[in-house]
Every structure is written in C-alpha cells, then in structure tokens.
C-alpha cells in the first residue's frame, strides 16, 4: 500500500487526479471505477482542466460507478448519474454511452444487480477503482454489517443517512430509502484501488481501515487484502494514524 500525505483538500485533489491521470495516459482505453461524494469533486475538477488543456484524452475511456439511489432518475439533481454528468462527464470528451451508473429506476432489483455485475465483467474488469470512505468505514454503500456483501445489491439506507439527506428533498417521502451498490467482491476485483480521504471526521475510520482488524464492521478494512492500493489523504484524515506513530 502506498500512502500519499497531502496538506489539504486541494493537494489531495491534485495528487489523486495525478494518479488517475497517469493511468489515463498510460492506458487510454482504461476502465475507471468512479465514486461520488464531496471528496472527489476537486479531483474531478483537475481531470476536467487537464482534459480541456489537452493533457488528458477520455475518448476511449469507459467507466462504471459504485452506486446509485434507488427510485431516482438520472435527471434528478440528487442522483449520482446527475452528479457524474455535472462534475465530470459533461466536461470531458468521454463517450457517455460507455459510462455506467446503476439505473435507480430499475423495477426488478435482482435483475438490475445481475445486469450491473455482467456489465463490469463485460468491460474486462475495472483498472482503477476510486473510493471515498465513510466516517463509519463504509465504501460505496457497503455499510458496517455482519458480512461482506459480495456483488451488486440493494441496501436499505441507515436512518441517519435518510435524515442527513432529507435537506436535499422537498418532503420525507421523496428521500430515497434504498440504494444500489457494488459489493465488496466487485470492489476488490479492481486491479488498482485509489482511496481518497480528507478531514478529521475520517481520521478514525481511516486508521481502522488501514491498520485495524479486517472486519465487515469496517468495510474498508478489506482493502488491507488488496495488493495495489494507493491512499491519498490530508493531514487531518491521517491524524489518528500519525498519533499512533504508524506513519
Ligand atoms: P464524502 O463521502 O466524500 O462526501 O465524505 C465519502 C463516502 O461516504 O464514501
């Protein structure tokens, strides 16, 4: 595992974009596993800038996203498809037909999950999977649990997540209660993992993920078993690891 320590969010964004950009340069038809959330926004901004100035070419790139809210259409401004379009896809020369986000409106969830697994396989697997980490150690929507869920599945969102999301919707009824997410096996099958973390709220989870026991109660801890992980984190997110003298 490689850990890059960065001083702040901006430096994390630039370093993480450099790591993904290097893959795009060295493998122009790479399959990118992408993530949403506040952490990757700055990284996507750099990728857009470097594409606009001609340093990166997304024309042969394809992508597969970790997760999507169940019940939201891709036009909904809270959907992860919308997030990807507005933060990255609309601003680079990627072929949108080669970008994949679970279909939040799929009626038959089991079929939708099986199809998503098949899409990942048909692409030949993910070359680099980008991950954020939740304050509770989640990756994608794989929340702390008694078991590692293997492949794409539907999760019931935690009540705290539903409450936290409520501010983005007109009424409680509109807040998604479920999501589609890749499973831990899908994530672990990526050839390379790029984990980004910023802020003190992630410090404990990052310590447990990288140095604690491997347990589904801290889903990100499974990454200790992956042979090619790059972590880009700011000093706040690394603070517990530093306190323990591990870095
Ligand atoms: P964040 O989310 O980037 O918005 O902190 C990360 C995550 O929950 O995976």
């Amino acid at each position: 595992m490689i850990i890059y320590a960065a001083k702040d969010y901006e430096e994390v964004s630039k370093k993480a974009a450099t790591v993904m950009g290097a893959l795009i340069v060295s493998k122009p038809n790479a399959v990118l596993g992408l993530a949403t959330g506040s952490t990757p926004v700055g990284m996507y901004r750099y990728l857009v800038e470097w594409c606009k100035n001609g340093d990166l070419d997304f024309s042969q790139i394809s992508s597969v996203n970790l997760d999507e809210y169940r019940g939201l259409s891709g036009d909904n401004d809270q959907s992860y498809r919308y997030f990807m379009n507005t933060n990255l896809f609309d601003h680079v020369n990627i072929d949108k037909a080669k970008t994949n986000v679970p279909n939040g409106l799929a009626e038959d969830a089991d079929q939708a999950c099986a199809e998503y697994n098949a899409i990942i396989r048909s692409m030949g697997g993910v070359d680099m999977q980008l991950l954020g980490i939740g304050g509770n150690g989640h990756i994608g929507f794989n929340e702390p649990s008694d078991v590692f869920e293997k492949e794409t599945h539907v999760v019931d969102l935690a009540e705290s997540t539903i409450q936290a999301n409520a501010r983005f919707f007109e009424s409680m009824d509109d807040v998604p209660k479920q999501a589609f997410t890749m499973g831990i096996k899908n994530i672990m099958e990526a050839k390379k993992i790029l984990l980004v973390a910023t802020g003190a709220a992630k410090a404990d989870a990052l310590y447990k993920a990288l140095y604690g026991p491997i347990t589904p109660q801290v889903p990100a801890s499974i990454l200790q078993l992956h042979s090619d992980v790059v972590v880009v984190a700011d000093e706040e997110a690394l603070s517990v690891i530093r306190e323990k003298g591990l870095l």
Side-chain angles (χ1 to χ4, degrees), residues 76-121:
N76 187 303
D77 63 6
Q78 294 306 318
S79 74
Y80 287 169
R81 161 54 77 178
Y82 187 93
F83 175 103
M84 289 311 304
N85 287 346
T86 50
N87 282 285
L88 185 67
F89 301 153
D90 285 345
H91 311 292
V92 296
N93 63 333
I94 199 165
D95 175 0
K96 268 207 200 153
K98 292 198 291 195
T99 67
N100 297 279
V101 181
N103 173 11
L105 294 184
E107 301 254 319
D108 183 335
D110 288 345
Q111 190 187 336
C113 292
E115 281 172 9
Y116 206 65
N117 293 328
I119 287 171
I120 300 169
R121 275 193 288 274

Side-chain angles (χ1 to χ4, degrees), residues 3-38:
I3 302 179
Y4 286 116
K7 69 174 186 303
D8 55 18
Y9 180 84
E10 200 53 33
E11 208 175 286
V12 167
S13 300
K14 194 169 191 178
K15 179 64 83 177
T18 305
V19 173
M20 188 165 276
L23 172 68
I24 295 168
V25 170
S26 61
K27 188 171 182 187
N29 62 348
V31 178
L32 305 180
L34 298 176
T36 54
S38 53

